[in-house]
Amino acid sequence: MNKVFIQTYGCQMNVADSDEMFAHLAARGAELTDKLEEADTVLINTCTVRDHAEHRAVSFLGRLAAWKKEKPGRVIIFAGCAAQRLGEALQKKYPFLDILSGAKGIEHFAQTLDKSGLFSHQDHPGQTPAPGLTGYVTIMRGCNFACTYCIVPSVRGPIKCLPVDDILQDAARKAAAGAKEIMLLGQTVNAYRDGDVSFADLLNRVSEVPGVERVRFTSPHPIYFTPQFLAAVKDNPKIARHIHLPVQSGSTKVLQEMKRGYTREVFLDKIHALRACGFNISTDIIVGFPTETEEDFRQTLSLVDEAKFFIAYCYKYSPRQGTPAAEMKQLEQKVLEERLDILLNKVRGLSDAAYLTQVGTVQEVLMETPHKGRSSGNFWVKTSKAHPVGSLVRTEIERADGTLLFARD
Ligand code: 5AD
Ligand code: SF4
């Protein structure tokens, strides 16, 4: 039996892609292991969105030289976004690498395996792991935007949406295998369209799949949250009341230079409209974009005050070769570090404040352990009684302690 160890870097799309790649390996007789020493194959699925992520993946690959030397028949597969960006150069630098499969090649991964001659179809396929409480379903890949800091469009290519029937089948399979929550995935997930079927239609259709209690999605782009979208989803309680909506900057000038396609005011209007339908909003913010002035940065701080995010993930701008922003005159690292520190201080208390707003409300909690689960808005809730894992418990929230809610139940 060929044992496969998987190391995944980056976003949830990569986690789903790793599952998909493993399914092809399983069809060729492989099974999973979480021990590198006993593995025959290592699959590294990589991220290149920031230099740091790429660096971690490549240094893991470098460390595998010794692992491979121990048993030369071992196989190393380097896949995903960093594989796409670095390409053949990587094969030259690490000659012990067996298979390179860029993010654009995920659809042809099975052929790549077959072409390598290292794997062959088996009568007894390996087991693929059950989905757990959340089933990840990729609905689209790629991105048609061209945000000036971002490497994604060049490594993932333009948008390709999966057919709605395939998505519904995938969700049904995962629900039948025990998933209660379906997470729809895509780089600009709410740009989804298949013929007449809009993203809102798809959310509603997935929520009707037998066994599906809750539908989440990530990551959307603000411009697609239209009044039509809100009207189509607002009465469907199965659509989770949490949205991760990256803003990137609070300065309209910087947003324009980033080519984000919205102003500060438009973003704030969108989140107010989403809030009015009960959605809890988290975000991503980049500090130190090359043209960001002190005043622009102050605008980001004030947007954080105004928007009352649930969580804000904050990143130092990282130049990505080939993107327009990487060609601009860069700010000093010291400035990036100072701004990140100030921003992190500001966002630290956000979650506690958001948790407090839940006290006194009635929530449906999807139990992840007998005493703990998540509400539709993605808040952690501790129940006083034990409940079956995977059940939905409707209960009032009595109090909050940091980032934990306590239920009456
Ligand atoms: N530098 C820093 N952060 C980046 N992101 C994307 N590209 C870069 C970059 N070049 C961040 C954005 C995005 C998140 C996934 O990563 O905030 O929303
Ligand atoms: Fe990158 Fe912008 Fe596309 Fe998001 S919308 S993947 S930030 S180019």
Side-chain angles (χ1 to χ4, degrees):
M1 190 60 97
N2 187 332
K3 291 196 174 159
V4 181
F5 177 90
I6 301 182
Q7 180 75 30
T8 304
Y9 295 94
C11 60
Q12 272 154 328
M13 289 228 43
N14 270 12
V15 176
D17 286 351
S18 292
D19 287 351
E20 194 171 321
M21 287 189 272
F22 178 69
H24 292 299
L25 287 161
R28 287 155 186 78
E31 66 175 37
L32 265 184
T33 176
D34 55 5
K35 293 185 192 72
L36 184 60
E37 322 80 77
E38 65 172 43
D40 307 295
T41 299
V42 170
L43 166 62
I44 315 170
N45 191 12
T46 62
C47 171
T48 185
V49 76
R50 284 171 295 278
D51 189 51
H52 179 65
E54 181 176 294
H55 194 75
R56 283 172 59 216
V58 175
S59 49
F60 183 68
L61 173 64
R63 290 201 301 278
L64 288 181
W67 174 84
K68 174 110 182 183
K69 237 188 201 144
E70 269 172 38
K71 289 189 196 162
R74 285 172 158 172
V75 173
I76 302 177
I77 308 172
F78 195 81
C81 293
Q84 185 72 46
R85 194 184 87 79
L86 297 165
E88 300 300 319
L90 205 72
Q91 195 106 49
K92 284 212 185 83
K93 192 158 174 214
Y94 301 95
F96 57 87
L97 171 59
D98 298 284
I99 299 177
L100 189 68
S101 172
K104 284 181 190 162
I106 175 116
E107 286 123 290
H108 319 294
F109 188 67
Q111 288 99 300
T112 306
L113 291 179
D114 293 338
K115 245 192 5 226
S116 74
L118 297 166
F119 300 89
S120 54
H121 268 277
Q122 304 285 321
D123 292 338
H124 300 290
Q127 282 233 308
T128 48
L133 222 53
T134 304
Y136 294 92
V137 174
T138 300
I139 66 163
M140 55 98 71
R141 293 200 158 88
C143 176
N144 287 353
F145 284 86
C147 299
T148 54
Y149 54 81
C150 185
I151 191 88
V152 169
S154 83
V155 291
R156 290 250 180 199
I159 287 184
K160 275 195 204 153
C161 294
L162 273 78
V164 67
D165 291 337
D166 292 9
I167 294 168
L168 293 172
Q169 261 177 31
D170 193 7
R173 231 185 349 257
K174 288 184 168 135
K180 301 283 177 202
E181 179 176 88
I182 295 293
M183 170 77 98
L184 303 180
L185 298 173
Q187 247 80 41
T188 46
V189 72
N190 55 346
Y192 180 86
R193 188 152 203 103
D194 178 22
D196 302 341
V197 181
S198 69
F199 179 61
D201 298 334
L202 181 70
L203 284 173
N204 287 324
R205 301 264 299 264
V206 172
S207 77
E208 287 158 11
V209 169
V212 172
E213 301 288 358
R214 191 174 273 172
V215 188
R216 297 188 184 278
F217 56 87
T218 201
S219 276
H221 190 288
I223 67 164
Y224 299 105
F225 285 130
T226 56
Q228 293 90 310
F229 171 86
L230 290 174
V233 302
K234 75 177 187 338
D235 296 324
N236 185 344
K238 287 192 178 178
I239 297 172
R241 267 24 190 186
H242 171 238
I243 294 181
H244 182 71
L245 190 59
V247 62
Q248 315 298 8
S249 168
S251 151
T252 293
K253 187 200 108 215
V254 171
L255 288 169
Q256 270 161 1
E257 285 151 354
M258 289 177 161
K259 289 218 167 82
R260 286 292 293 170
Y262 52 85
T263 60
R264 169 197 179 93
E265 290 71 29
V266 166
F267 181 85
L268 284 168
D269 285 350
K270 301 268 180 199
I271 66 167
H272 289 142
L274 287 166
R275 281 248 164 74
C277 296
F279 287 100
N280 178 29
I281 315 285
S282 55
T283 201
D284 290 340
I285 300 173
I286 299 176
V287 296
F289 184 80
T291 58
E292 185 187 78
T293 61
E294 282 295 329
E295 174 50 29
D296 293 323
F297 178 59
R298 271 197 291 276
Q299 293 273 314
T300 294
L301 295 176
S302 87
L303 179 107
V304 169
D305 281 332
E306 234 177 284
K308 302 203 168 41
F309 295 113
F310 171 50
I311 298 172
Y313 298 96
C314 307
Y315 305 105
K316 278 191 288 187
Y317 167 71
S318 168
R320 309 309 290 133
Q321 208 186 5
T323 59
E327 308 297 316
M328 299 176 185
K329 185 172 179 298
Q330 305 294 311
L331 295 175
E332 278 179 50
Q333 270 305 311
K334 191 169 70 77
V335 174
L336 269 63
E337 272 149 31
E338 277 167 15
R339 289 184 188 169
L340 183 67
D341 260 5
I342 296 169
L343 184 61
L344 286 175
N345 267 327
K346 187 161 214 51
V347 304
R348 201 157 286 140
L350 288 179
S351 289
D352 287 16
Y355 269 75
L356 276 177
T357 65
Q358 302 296 293
V359 175
T361 64
V362 172
Q363 297 294 332
E364 278 200 329
V365 184
L366 180 60
M367 301 307 292
E368 297 199 8
T369 69
H371 281 284
K372 210 170 157 192
R374 274 181 304 143
S375 69
S376 174
N378 225 0
F379 294 91
W380 280 107
V381 182
K382 194 163 171 12
T383 55
S384 55
K385 296 186 206 120
H387 299 275
V389 170
S391 62
L392 267 184
V393 177
R394 202 177 158 76
T395 177
E396 191 183 330
I397 304 301
E398 273 193 330
R399 64 185 177 92
D401 185 359
T403 53
L404 190 57
L405 300 174
F406 290 81
R408 186 186 299 277
D409 64 305

